[in-house]
Amino acid sequence: MTAAPRILPMGDRAVLVEVGALEEVLALARRLEASRPEGVIDLVPAARTVLVRVDPAVLSLASARSWVRGDRADAAPAAPAPRDVVDLDVVYDGADLAGAAALLGISPEALVHRHTSAQWTVAFTGFAPGFGYLVSPDWPFDVPRLESPRTRVPAGSVGLAGAFSGAYPRETPGGWRLIGTTGAALWDPDADSPALLVPGMSVRFRAVRASPGVGDRPGSGRSGTVRPSGVSPSFGSTPSFGSSPGFGNTPGSGSTRGIRIVAPGLLATVQDRGREGAASVGVSRSGALDRTALGIANRLVGNARDAAGIEVTMGGFRAVAECDLWFAVAGAWGPLRLAGRAIDPYEAHAWYAGDELQLDWFAHGARAYLAVRGGVEAPLVLGSRSTDRLAGLGPEALRAGECLTVGAGAADAVPVVPPSPWGVPHDDEFEVELAPGPRADWFTDAARATLFDSVWTVTADADRVGIRLDGPVLERARGGELPSEGMVPGALQVPPSGRPTILLADGPVTGGYPVIAVVTDASLDLLAQARPGTRLRFRHARVSG
């Protein structure tokens, strides 16, 4: 008999349901999908778990737990699994090939032989769009991840972690041991089926001597062959993967309503409230890191709260209006100038054609939000205009000379209110609420106490994907590797090095490092304003349900 699933906490908006084997995961995921109630945002199957993320305003965590524990008699029958076979050409030139072989006690040549002779199956997807976790009954090895993950893994890298093999669809951070390189286009948002590898698909690796061009779809005669044995799985026919006219125009291209970027500063991206409900195919929430600040800026110019604006990181941003506009800036603080005159944030301003707006380098906070009445127009990808830096979805980071189109409509009039009080944000030290994580028992009692008793420092490795912290080592109570499982924004992953990383909105949707705790949803906006050197103190959150 199959044991009842364990329901583990995952912050204040999710639970992690753990079962004994991958086959049970797939059965559980089918059952939950068939009876999915309103308020469930994401169901993310992984190696031994299914992540259930909810909107607590619609479905409480207590109700979610009751639903997960419900009667299985109405479980939906298994859907037919796609059985396409994909041959991936691989040059076995990975930086970790010799080291991985040594860990397994075999030669690099023997490792390549075992890897290419195995028949692999896509068990589930995650980490990033197009990243498939491949398993095989012919692969007996368990390969430990790197003790400290790389900050950048090149696109096309083929790697090993635990019992899995996989290939990175784009340059991302990662802790897998790299054994080779493929040129296949694993994720192509312009294709009819953006994900090349989908659950149930069979995969074979073929050793080649010369590397094919990264980004080629198999079947082109350069990087491999797709041999369908049934109907090709479809990601969907959503037209929003296409281009939106008027976005990204160069000066003089005919855009008459918009703004022209003079200097983007350190980083400027288009962001709205993000894309929900696509984590099961490896797509993170993304969206503005400080949702409150974007919402305030939108409200000040009469936009809907989910209108797209510009997220400016650390300042240095300059833009010129191509027509008469209204705008507001909220979030991080630094000198603001319009046509050379100092102006205040948190206030709507008229922006006349030809005038330059400057957001100087921020003195406090890390991210400011520029909202323009009517909202920034950009292509809709999975329901959002947001730039996802990890997945490569949405518009590219803004560049000098680029023109953005501004929408013609707004939800409300520009509000006539007296200037609301605002102050310079304090960013030297933040107090952040933590809710329970699913793997707190992987750490010693002393480590769990240290997490809350210590002062942690934000390192220079901080971006939209996550924040690495410097501080004491969190000692584990148990060793071994954790099978990959669903992640949420705010998860505190602790690699073997013992120092945690906080995942943010562009972070991976699955991961293999244990999560000791999770930043509450309300505290995530605060972390958007953390700069390198900012000190963090954690305190226990009260989580209902």
Side-chain angles (χ1 to χ4, degrees), residues 6 8 16 18 49 437-443 482 485 514-516:
R6 293 177 63 208
L8 306 172
L16 196 67
E18 184 177 52
T49 59
R439 304 301 175 186
D441 61 346
W442 277 54
F443 299 88
L482 177 70
E485 55 193 27
V515 172
I516 189 172

Side-chain angles (χ1 to χ4, degrees), residues 33-122:
E33 187 61 54
S35 61
R36 183 173 183 156
E38 186 178 0
V40 174
I41 296 173
D42 275 311
L43 293 173
V44 184
R48 298 289 183 271
T49 59
V50 176
L51 176 74
V52 180
R53 196 162 72 88
V54 305
D55 178 354
V58 180
L59 184 72
S60 68
L61 286 178
S63 297
R65 290 189 184 96
S66 267
W67 165 61
V68 169
R69 289 192 298 262
D71 185 2
R72 298 189 183 189
D74 60 350
R83 300 305 301 170
D84 286 359
V85 179
V86 175
D87 288 336
L88 293 182
D89 290 349
V90 177
V91 178
Y92 285 91
D93 57 356
D96 303 317
L97 177 62
L103 285 171
L104 301 177
I106 59 177
S107 68
E109 294 76 15
L111 189 154
V112 171
H113 175 72
R114 296 298 295 266
H115 195 250
T116 53
S117 5
Q119 183 73 43
W120 298 87
T121 301
V122 184

Side-chain angles (χ1 to χ4, degrees), residues 263-271 289-290 310-317 330 332 359-370 389 397-398 462-464 528-532:
L266 181 66
L267 176 68
T269 58
V270 174
Q271 300 293 341
L289 292 190
D290 190 338
I310 298 175
E311 180 180 272
V312 178
T313 302
M314 302 303 292
F317 177 89
L359 280 64
D360 209 341
W361 298 104
F362 303 150
H364 299 278
R367 293 173 178 87
Y369 294 84
L370 168 61
R389 297 277 287 170
L398 301 182
D463 56 19
R464 288 185 47 84
Q529 303 302 344
R531 304 158 60 100

Side-chain angles (χ1 to χ4, degrees), residues 242-394:
S243 299
S244 174
F247 181 79
N249 295 324
T250 55
S253 64
S255 174
T256 57
R257 179 177 174 81
I259 62 176
R260 174 170 49 86
I261 308 301
V262 176
L266 181 66
L267 176 68
T269 58
V270 174
Q271 300 293 341
D272 56 19
R273 298 283 296 184
R275 46 184 66 88
E276 298 278 22
S280 62
V281 293
V283 177
S284 62
R285 187 188 74 195
S286 196
L289 292 190
D290 190 338
R291 296 158 294 173
T292 300
L294 175 62
I296 291 172
N298 272 326
R299 188 166 67 248
L300 287 169
V301 294
N303 287 343
R305 66 194 292 265
D306 59 351
I310 298 175
E311 180 180 272
V312 178
T313 302
M314 302 303 292
F317 177 89
R318 294 159 56 207
V320 172
E322 299 283 303
C323 61
D324 293 347
L325 300 167
W326 283 88
F327 76 95
V329 175
W333 183 89
L336 301 180
R337 295 182 180 87
L338 180 62
R341 303 184 309 273
I343 60 171
D344 286 337
Y346 290 89
E347 184 177 336
H349 299 275
W351 189 2
Y352 296 109
D355 285 352
E356 181 177 284
L357 171 67
Q358 179 179 0
L359 280 64
D360 209 341
W361 298 104
F362 303 150
H364 299 278
R367 293 173 178 87
Y369 294 84
L370 168 61
V372 183
R373 179 167 173 78
V376 173
E377 292 291 333
L380 280 169
V381 179
L382 294 177
S384 171
R385 306 183 197 277
S386 291
T387 299
D388 184 331
R389 297 277 287 170
L390 178 63
L393 299 180

